[in-house]
Amino acid sequence: MNDDPFDLAAAPPARQPAAAPYLAKLNEAQREAVEALDGPVLVLAGAGTGKTRVLTTRLAHLLATGRCQPWQVLAVTFTNKASREMQDRLAALVGPIAGDVRLGTFHAIGVWLLRRHAELVGLKSNFTILDTDDQLRLLKQVLEAHEVDVKRWPARALAAVIDRWKDKGLTPDKVGGGDGNGFADGKALELYRAYQARLLTLNACDFGDLLVHTLTLFSSNPDILARYQEQFRYILVDEYQDTNVAQYLWLRLLAQSHHNICCVGDDDQSIYGWRGAEVDNILRFESDFPGAKVVRLERNYRSTGHILATASALIAHNEARLGKTLWTDDDPGRMVGLRGVWDGIEEARIIGEDIEALQRDGARLDDIAILVRAGFQTRDFEERFLTLGLPYRVIGGPRFYERAEIRDAMAYLRMVAQPDDDLALERIINVPKRALGAATVKKLHETARAAGTTLLGAGTAIVETDELRPQARTALARLLDDFRRWRALIDVMPHHELAETVLDESGYTAMWQHDRSPDAPGRLENLKELIRAMEEFPTLAAFLEHVALVMENAEQRDEDMVSLMTLHSAKGLEFEHVFLPGWEEGLFPHQRALGESGQKGLEEERRLAYVGITRARRQCTISFAANRRVHGQWQSSIPSRFVEELPADHVEKLSDPGIYGSGGAGWGRVGGAGGAGGAYEAPWEKSDWRGRQKGYGARYERRGGLIEGEATVVETSGPEGGYALGQRIFHQKFGYGRIRAMDGNKLEIEFEKAGRKKVMDAFVDPA
């Protein structure tokens, strides 16, 4: 008799392996999730509760009990990394048969299905999958063919519109009449149809099609759907809270006959709504699958008790959640630190000192992370760490001065300061587009080599000839005039103002203002941060020299380093020590999330805060600043409403006397900037975020080395009697504008520089 629990040939149907060693390693809730094999199951797996172990052990248990053969299981993940990890763990449990399980990402499984049935959706089996660059090139061709101004309506913006439709599983024939009307004067749907037709002609699809075409395949061919419903008797899904509508519909179709679907996820970690994820998918699981079993994994194996209690108390303020509370048997550890500072520069200085102290106590830099809400926040830390000689890495994105928009801006400034910089000119000669393409650059290089001069010298000569097309010659002459004019301003204009002038007059700022892509606002924020950084240096030359030294500090991947990243990039990671800076209203929760999505956006921001806290194993420190410098001017900030929601029993106040304190705790006083002297002193008034927002604001004036001013209580709920259509208002971030539409406390405003935006009335003032 063969007693091997993984010998499927010898295993009778639905047998229970005796004393299976893999079950003995599970806690009670984990084992309940593993052994609930039949029917719909939702595993609410909190941060650090062992969800991957549950998924892989459940897969092994399905095979060991003889419920199915390996090829009758479908396991879906979101990343290739997660797929590889699950495959390796499964192989360690069941051996080579793990390779027969259909395990992969949504897109990988979509490719597998489409290769087998491509002709049923108008493709051939050898279809091409376009990457982002190819997709944008094709969309640009479609825009030009329909005579759409690609400068005003860029291909990247159209890609964002189409991706949103595909995330919802909408083919062109299913898009509603009102959707996408804001793009290209209502031509978005027409462009979508043309794009899809062009893809079929090219025998190609983009990543969104890998799911949309599969939905079409299943819904239009019941026999095909029935075939895969019969084959995949058991379905397992990882990170279910991150599914979009198309993925949700795809899974429901496959599971609707047998309902043997197990979804593992955490509604409290759903933080990707901006890219199509629908937290409602996990919230309505029990109504989608009546009789579903819900198992909560709440025992945490990562963090200390104080960290878990803080995270649980914060997330409990969300209404759209299924509910669970993380706990641990381990020592409660250190309380979560909460620190108020004067400004972002001081915040970076103190965190740098904290990290040095941890180093002296034996901590590795690899075990330390700083998690920010917005990418531009990393610059103050990068500058400070370079000063201290602390090695660091930026995860999930380039370092500040390595970002494309910063490199472009620096190239303009290098050309102003040093006209012989051929590399700088070549980078921005046609950015933004000005009819100076590859042919012009080639001619400039030929002329420069022949004359033994620079590209700028060659350009000065060539604009006097007929060697270039008239349009290119005119554009080049205009650019050369611009550089001469800007160069003449070096000695008569503050260098940071000159930089702003260069970026505005070159059209570079406008290029990003008109870009409708999701990352455009972040790029504009980075450009503003660049201007702010320049103010700290006496001259343009000094600033450029500083940046050159920063860029020379090449990163060594194998070196012990502090990790700098956004909160979104941190999901799935963990560190011994975590710093969470910038917990200020408008930054976190982010003003854009509040303005565009209201309560739904606020709850996703709170989930992001929860994710940040639960990345910490031993120590978590939260900080907020009384002031941030924006557009060269000091602006007062009030602590994030999330600070007020932190539980006092698990949080330790770290602010020194004279430092701005916590609103919720009603403590602290305002001190001077970097020891420069006190500006004002006042108690904090708690905020009523459901109605009027109250707090201390301030107007500042720099006098010598001091920032002086007086505090005033500000009411930000709008004027008496509310606002009116056409009324002129002012917004701290977007500037002046007029109200064009109103929906309760949401205003749609046409801003003079930022374009049309939706914001909450609490964030604007009458102009």
Side-chain angles (χ1 to χ4, degrees):
M1 181 176 177
N2 190 338
D3 293 324
D4 183 355
F6 296 116
D7 185 348
L8 298 180
R15 72 180 178 87
Q16 180 72 26
Y22 55 83
L23 292 177
K25 298 178 181 179
L26 305 176
N27 66 37
E28 184 178 346
Q30 290 173 336
R31 182 160 181 164
E32 182 183 4
V34 166
E35 293 184 319
L37 297 180
D38 295 319
V41 178
L42 175 63
V43 181
L44 289 176
T49 57
K51 74 175 179 67
T52 304
R53 169 176 286 187
V54 166
L55 272 169
T56 51
T57 308
R58 182 183 171 89
L59 274 170
H61 197 54
L62 277 169
L63 303 179
T65 56
R67 296 296 178 104
C68 59
Q69 299 295 329
W71 53 88
Q72 293 176 313
V73 179
L74 175 65
V76 189
T77 67
F78 268 84
T79 66
N80 291 319
K81 179 183 176 183
S83 293
R84 288 192 298 269
E85 182 180 1
M86 195 180 301
Q87 190 80 56
D88 291 344
R89 290 200 191 190
L90 184 61
L93 286 173
V94 303
I97 62 171
D100 293 329
V101 173
R102 181 58 58 183
L103 195 163
T105 65
F106 278 99
H107 291 109
I109 293 168
V111 171
W112 174 73
L113 287 166
L114 289 178
R115 295 284 186 208
R116 307 178 88 191
H117 307 284
E119 71 284 351
L120 295 177
V121 293
L123 294 167
K124 299 174 184 175
S125 61
N126 63 343
F127 62 83
T128 300
I129 303 170
L130 301 187
D131 60 21
T132 302
D133 288 342
D134 290 335
Q135 180 191 24
L136 293 177
R137 253 196 310 275
L138 182 57
L139 285 170
K140 185 178 178 182
Q141 293 173 14
V142 171
L143 286 164
E144 291 172 344
H146 285 73
E147 299 181 343
V148 175
D149 183 355
V150 293
K151 292 183 178 179
R152 185 181 179 194
W153 306 104
R156 192 176 296 276
L158 178 58
V161 174
I162 291 176
D163 287 346
R164 282 198 300 272
W165 282 333
K166 291 186 177 182
D167 285 344
K168 296 176 182 177
L170 299 175
T171 51
D173 58 304
K174 294 179 181 176
V175 174
D179 290 339
N181 280 344
F183 185 88
D185 301 319
K187 292 184 178 179
L189 181 53
E190 177 186 352
L191 295 167
Y192 184 18
R193 288 195 188 96
Y195 171 63
Q196 291 302 108
R198 185 68 179 143
L199 282 171
L200 291 179
T201 301
L202 297 175
N203 191 34
C205 60
D206 60 25
F207 274 89
D209 287 329
L210 298 178
L211 289 174
V212 174
H213 281 329
T214 310
L215 280 175
T216 301
L217 173 69
F218 287 160
S219 59
S220 302
N221 301 275
D223 56 327
I224 300 293
L225 174 60
R227 170 180 167 182
Y228 288 106
Q229 288 173 338
E230 175 62 25
Q231 176 176 344
F232 296 127
R233 294 172 52 192
Y234 289 89
I235 300 173
L236 288 86
V237 188
D238 189 17
E239 303 285 9
Y240 189 61
Q241 78 281 349
D242 292 335
T243 53
N244 59 33
V245 173
Q247 292 160 340
Y248 163 78
L249 294 172
W250 188 85
L251 289 167
R252 282 202 66 187
L253 283 171
L254 281 175
Q256 68 183 7
S257 65
H258 51 67
H259 285 190
N260 289 330
I261 181 170
C262 175
C263 294
V264 180
D266 184 1
D267 52 327
D268 291 333
Q269 295 189 74
S270 179
I271 60 173
Y272 298 121
W274 50 277
R275 70 182 188 196
E278 289 282 350
V279 69
D280 287 346
N281 292 350
I282 193 169
L283 296 179
R284 63 169 177 252
F285 186 87
E286 291 177 272
S287 60
D288 286 339
F289 298 99
K293 183 180 184 63
V294 178
V295 180
R296 287 171 168 81
L297 303 185
E298 299 174 304
R299 182 177 181 180
N300 179 280
Y301 293 92
R302 174 192 300 162
S303 306
T304 64
H306 282 308
I307 290 172
L308 296 178
T310 300
S312 295
L314 177 66
I315 200 63
H317 287 81
N318 271 9
E319 296 176 4
R321 64 188 297 260
L322 296 172
K324 64 183 174 308
T325 302
L326 299 181
W327 60 275
T328 180
D329 282 336
D330 296 339
D331 186 273
R334 294 181 56 175
M335 298 177 80
V336 171
L338 178 63
R339 175 185 287 126
V341 298
W342 179 251
D343 60 20
I345 297 173
E346 183 177 19
E347 185 175 53
R349 176 182 63 79
I350 294 176
I351 289 177
E353 291 171 356
D354 286 349
I355 292 173
E356 287 185 314
L358 287 170
Q359 260 192 313
R360 288 193 295 271
D361 290 341
R364 286 176 45 81
L365 295 183
D366 280 341
D367 290 330
I368 302 171
I370 299 172
L371 312 181
V372 299
R373 175 60 183 87
F376 76 86
Q377 290 175 261
T378 67
R379 196 197 66 81
D380 281 337
F381 293 102
E382 293 188 57
E383 299 280 5
R384 185 62 188 169
F385 292 170
L386 288 167
T387 301
L388 295 174
L390 270 177
Y392 70 93
R393 63 172 65 87
V394 177
I395 296 178
R399 296 182 176 206
F400 182 80
Y401 291 111
E402 293 172 346
R403 291 174 166 90
E405 65 276 12
I406 301 301
R407 284 183 176 270
D408 290 343
M410 294 299 300
Y412 272 106
L413 299 179
R414 283 161 51 193
M415 277 303 298
V416 171
Q418 171 51 274
D420 294 337
D421 193 333
D422 283 2
L423 292 176
L425 179 60
E426 190 169 356
R427 181 180 181 93
I428 49 83
I429 192 170
N430 203 38
V431 181
K433 301 291 186 184
R434 49 172 70 95
L436 298 175
T440 301
V441 174
K442 181 180 179 183
K443 177 60 68 176
L444 284 173
H445 275 294
E446 291 171 351
T447 305
R449 282 195 299 270
T453 186
T454 63
L455 290 184
L456 191 72
T460 303
I462 208 170
V463 293
E464 303 296 331
T465 71
D466 293 323
E467 296 181 64
L468 294 178
R469 294 178 294 105
Q471 185 182 9
R473 188 167 64 246
T474 300
L476 180 58
R478 186 180 300 119
L479 181 61
L480 296 178
D481 287 342
D482 286 341
F483 277 119
R484 280 191 286 268
R485 184 178 70 260
W486 297 329
R487 206 166 294 123
L489 296 174
I490 288 180
D491 296 325
V492 298
M493 179 182 284
H495 58 285
H496 62 277
E497 292 182 13
L498 173 59
E500 229 171 343
T501 299
V502 170
L503 295 178
D504 287 345
E505 293 184 356
S506 66
Y508 191 77
T509 302
M511 179 185 79
W512 288 115
Q513 286 173 337
H514 295 147
D515 192 318
R516 265 64 173 184
S517 61
D519 59 347
R523 294 182 188 273
L524 286 168
E525 284 183 351
N526 289 335
L527 291 173
K528 293 170 186 174
E529 181 65 16
L530 175 69
I531 302 299
R532 189 186 79 76
M534 296 181 67
E535 298 179 37
E536 301 170 14
F537 297 85
T539 65
L540 177 59
F543 175 68
L544 292 175
E545 180 179 301
H546 166 77
V547 175
L549 294 174
V550 169
M551 299 300 286
E552 183 65 22
N553 184 39
E555 180 177 326
Q556 300 296 321
R557 294 287 174 182
D558 56 350
E559 188 179 348
D560 191 30
M561 293 182 175
V562 177
S563 295
L564 261 173
M565 71 190 84
T566 65
L567 285 158
H568 283 102
S569 299
K571 187 168 179 292
L573 303 178
E574 56 186 78
F575 303 88
E576 292 292 300
H577 312 276
V578 170
F579 294 90
L580 301 172
W583 280 42
E584 298 132 35
E585 200 66 21
L587 178 55
F588 193 36
H590 201 285
Q591 185 171 313
R592 188 165 61 246
L594 299 179
E596 293 177 358
S597 303
Q599 181 68 18
K600 188 174 182 180
L602 171 61
E603 295 210 349
E604 180 155 321
E605 291 286 292
R606 191 177 282 112
R607 292 194 291 270
L608 195 56
Y610 172 86
V611 166
I613 295 172
T614 55
R615 297 312 93 196
R617 290 194 288 257
R618 292 177 52 201
Q619 181 180 357
C620 177
T621 305
I622 296 167
S623 59
F624 55 89
N627 308 283
R628 293 241 175 228
R629 203 170 185 190
V630 181
H631 304 160
Q633 294 184 347
W634 289 100
Q635 291 186 0
S636 61
S637 303
I638 58 176
S640 166
R641 66 191 74 190
F642 301 154
V643 170
E644 188 174 327
E645 296 169 357
L646 299 175
D649 291 344
H650 302 282
V651 175
E652 176 186 10
K653 303 165 190 171
L654 302 177
S655 294
D656 296 324
I659 297 297
Y660 188 72
S662 163
W667 53 276
R669 72 177 179 84
V670 176
Y680 60 82
E681 182 175 347
W684 180 259
E685 182 173 356
K686 290 187 98 172
S687 305
D688 177 10
W689 295 111
R690 288 176 176 78
R692 300 159 71 85
Q693 299 176 26
K694 300 176 181 179
Y696 280 97
R699 290 181 172 81
Y700 301 102
E701 182 179 350
R702 181 173 286 281
R703 297 177 182 173
L706 300 180
I707 299 174
E708 298 183 352
E710 62 177 7
T712 56
V713 177
V714 292
E715 303 265 356
T716 59
S717 60
E720 192 72 27
Y723 290 100
L725 289 175
Q727 182 175 352
R728 194 165 188 262
I729 56 83
F730 177 77
H731 186 282
Q732 285 282 359
K733 179 178 179 181
F734 301 127
Y736 290 97
R738 290 193 181 276
I739 299 173
R740 299 304 182 200
M742 303 170 65
D743 180 12
N745 63 345
K746 288 185 181 179
L747 307 177
E748 188 168 328
I749 300 170
E750 187 73 43
F751 289 99
E752 294 171 4
K753 292 187 176 180
R756 186 163 290 208
K757 305 284 185 183
K758 291 181 179 179
V759 301
M760 306 292 286
D761 63 4
F763 294 103
V764 300
D765 294 302

